[in-house]
Amino acid sequence: VRCSHNLVVGTLINLTDNSIWWQNYANVKKKKLYIDLIEEPQGYISILIADNGPGFTISTDDAVKPFVSDKPGGMGLGLHLAYEVMNSQKGELIFPEEGDYDLPNEFKKGAKLLLAFKR
């Protein structure tokens, strides 16, 4: 795929940082982050990211809106910027439902998302 390396790396760093923050906030004892490359949805190559934290605490439709956050002291820009980065790369930010992808059990209730890049 073709993409802006710096924008995608910055997005991955932000998503990882937020995952760690929410796992700490929820007092998750054994914090885990799952990252995989998958060839889904059809016509895309995606980075699947999941954690074993509390999952999203607001609707994902709201979470991508600017200045909307459930994180104490959060600015509400992280997922909005991830959404905008993926749009600028002609890709999609997708929030899978539980069971959409084969994940180890420990990640099924946590936050899950795809950075989907068109082939």
Side-chain angles (χ1 to χ4, degrees):
V1 298
R2 291 179 186 246
C3 65
S4 170
H5 177 263
N6 291 340
L7 289 175
V8 173
V9 169
T11 298
L12 289 168
I13 290 169
N14 177 264
L15 295 172
T16 302
D17 182 62
N18 275 311
S19 172
I20 293 167
W21 191 94
W22 280 104
Q23 289 174 345
N24 284 334
Y25 185 75
N27 294 315
V28 174
K29 299 298 180 216
K30 292 187 177 184
K31 298 164 186 66
K32 294 185 179 183
L33 186 64
Y34 180 91
I35 301 174
D36 196 7
L37 290 175
I38 61 173
E39 295 187 30
E40 294 182 44
Q42 187 171 356
Y44 289 82
I45 294 177
S46 300
I47 302 171
L48 171 61
I49 304 168
D51 66 29
N52 65 337
F56 292 104
T57 56
I58 59 176
S59 78
T60 53
D61 287 338
D62 287 340
V64 297
K65 293 177 182 173
F67 311 114
V68 175
S69 178
D70 203 25
K71 179 179 177 181
M75 294 188 300
L77 292 175
L79 286 173
H80 171 68
L81 290 175
Y83 178 80
E84 293 296 330
V85 164
M86 292 310 297
N87 283 340
S88 75
Q89 303 306 300
K90 298 181 177 38
E92 294 185 43
L93 179 65
I94 299 171
F95 297 92
E97 299 293 325
E98 186 178 340
D100 283 353
Y101 299 98
D102 188 26
L103 289 168
N105 285 336
E106 61 208 308
F107 298 103
K108 292 189 177 181
K109 298 291 183 188
K112 297 173 280 301
L113 58 84
L114 291 176
L115 300 178
F117 300 89
K118 283 190 178 183
R119 289 182 170 273

